[in-house]
Amino acid sequence: MRTRPSLLLGLTFVLTVLPVWAADGDKKVESQKAAATANLSKAGLKKVATVETANLLVISSLPEAKTKPLAEAAQKVFTFSRAALKLDEKEELWPGKLTVVVLADSREYTSYIRVATQQRPDGKDWFSINTRGETPTASVFVDLDGKPKDADVQATVSAIVAATLLNKKAGTNTTTGPLPEWAQIGFGKVMVARSVGGAALSDYRSKSKALLTGKKAAPVRIADVWGGVKTKDSDLAAASLVEYMLYGTEGDKFFAFVAGFKPTETVAMPTIDSALEAAGWKWDNLEVGWKVWASKQK
């Protein structure tokens, strides 16, 4: 069950790559745009901003002036995440582009999800990922009640875009059962932090280290990440663990780990234990290695 976050990492994006705004005439993209717009219209949203980048079709209820930089930020994280996951740039991940729907009203988001997925959100769901079909889509609700900074909104959406690529790599999806939320959000936060770098990455690292060493409270345990009660630090702990799995160990083991959550003929209902086994990891050794590695990060 997903819990609605206080918006993810408050990071300032330094953008160096200009996106492609104009539609390229690709029939697949035009079809995807029409499909997403139709679903939004059925859900009662008539006015949306649409922005295209090299790999994304971003459709948002936010003003266009905010949607453009949001799309730029998401594209940057998409590019970084694709490389981190070793997804070949020449490989066609899906038809056309990834549709990214961003809505700032919870009722509108709920209505849209019902129309688009034929599923009923439970009130705590705030993102939905579909990597299959003709219109692969990442849908995100961003809570603006606390008047978050634009960079916070960008980080939240970008993290879900990264999580979409992770699901693609793992072969998981809403129809088969997605990856655990902690793995999706953790990966997304790491991709955002690493793609930004600089002071933002250092701040993330220092907070992660404090969380693991217990300088401010009891040190977090690995079981807290994948089975504990959700707290304000849960996403940060998940990000640190995912970062270790991907960069502090043999990266291919992380890929085997997330692929271990895809149901198979022999494992119809994957668990954390079966996924760890698929990667050749034992959770107690993983915990020791994680804390040693994280304590040395700067």
Side-chain angles (χ1 to χ4, degrees):
M1 181 178 295
R2 303 187 185 101
T3 54
R4 194 169 297 163
S6 55
L7 290 163
L8 300 176
L9 291 174
L11 302 176
T12 301
F13 284 83
V14 180
L15 302 175
T16 58
V17 180
L18 293 177
V20 179
W21 300 124
D24 59 7
D26 186 282
K27 291 183 179 180
K28 290 181 180 178
V29 177
E30 290 302 316
S31 176
Q32 291 170 331
K33 186 186 300 182
T37 302
N39 284 335
L40 287 165
S41 180
K42 290 178 183 178
L45 286 95
K46 306 295 184 182
K47 185 176 181 181
V48 292
T50 302
V51 175
E52 284 188 53
T53 69
N55 301 106
L56 306 175
L57 173 61
V58 181
I59 303 177
S60 167
S61 63
L62 301 173
E64 185 174 359
K66 291 184 179 292
T67 301
K68 284 185 176 182
L70 184 153
E72 288 181 321
Q75 175 63 50
K76 181 176 181 179
V77 173
F78 179 99
T79 302
F80 189 91
S81 302
R82 184 169 189 161
L85 292 170
K86 299 181 181 179
L87 292 168
D88 192 339
E89 289 186 9
K90 298 180 181 179
E91 177 187 356
E92 185 179 79
L93 298 178
W94 34 57
K97 299 181 178 182
L98 173 65
T99 300
V100 182
V101 176
V102 182
L103 302 177
D105 184 286
S106 61
R107 289 173 297 181
E108 291 178 343
Y109 176 79
T110 297
S111 179
Y112 161 74
I113 291 297
R114 286 177 179 172
V115 171
T117 70
Q118 304 301 307
Q119 296 178 351
R120 184 185 181 92
D122 68 1
K124 294 182 179 180
D125 289 353
W126 62 276
F127 72 91
S128 175
I129 291 173
N130 176 25
T131 60
R132 298 183 179 180
E134 293 299 313
T135 309
T137 306
S139 306
V140 191
F141 164 67
V142 290
D143 191 348
L144 303 182
D145 286 346
K147 298 183 178 180
K149 296 179 181 179
D150 289 345
D152 294 345
V153 175
Q154 293 166 8
T156 297
V157 175
S158 297
I160 301 306
V161 168
T164 304
L165 285 173
L166 182 63
N167 275 280
K168 180 65 177 180
K169 177 74 175 184
T172 52
N173 196 52
T174 51
T175 56
T176 62
L179 293 171
E181 183 186 345
W182 68 265
Q184 297 186 79
I185 299 302
F187 178 77
K189 287 175 74 73
V190 169
M191 292 299 99
V192 171
R194 279 185 170 249
S195 66
V196 174
L201 180 58
S202 296
D203 181 62
Y204 152 72
R205 288 272 170 73
S206 64
K207 289 179 179 177
S208 299
K209 190 180 300 185
L211 190 63
L212 292 176
T213 57
K215 289 184 177 180
K216 294 185 177 180
V220 67
R221 301 172 303 167
I222 198 168
D224 296 330
V225 175
W226 58 53
V229 177
K230 187 83 171 181
T231 70
K232 64 180 181 62
D233 294 321
S234 293
D235 291 345
L236 180 61
S240 179
L241 177 57
V242 168
E243 186 180 24
Y244 169 65
M245 288 176 158
L246 182 58
Y247 293 103
T249 67
E250 300 169 63
D252 287 345
K253 285 193 172 185
F254 174 70
F255 301 148
F257 172 73
V258 292
F261 285 100
K262 181 181 180 180
T264 64
E265 291 184 0
T266 55
V267 184
M269 299 182 67
T271 63
I272 184 67
D273 290 327
S274 61
L276 289 171
E277 183 178 357
W281 277 331
K282 294 185 181 297
W283 71 264
D284 49 351
N285 292 337
L286 193 65
E287 179 166 40
V288 172
W290 168 37
K291 293 193 173 184
V292 170
W293 180 84
S295 67
K296 297 179 180 178
Q297 300 306 298
K298 297 181 179 179

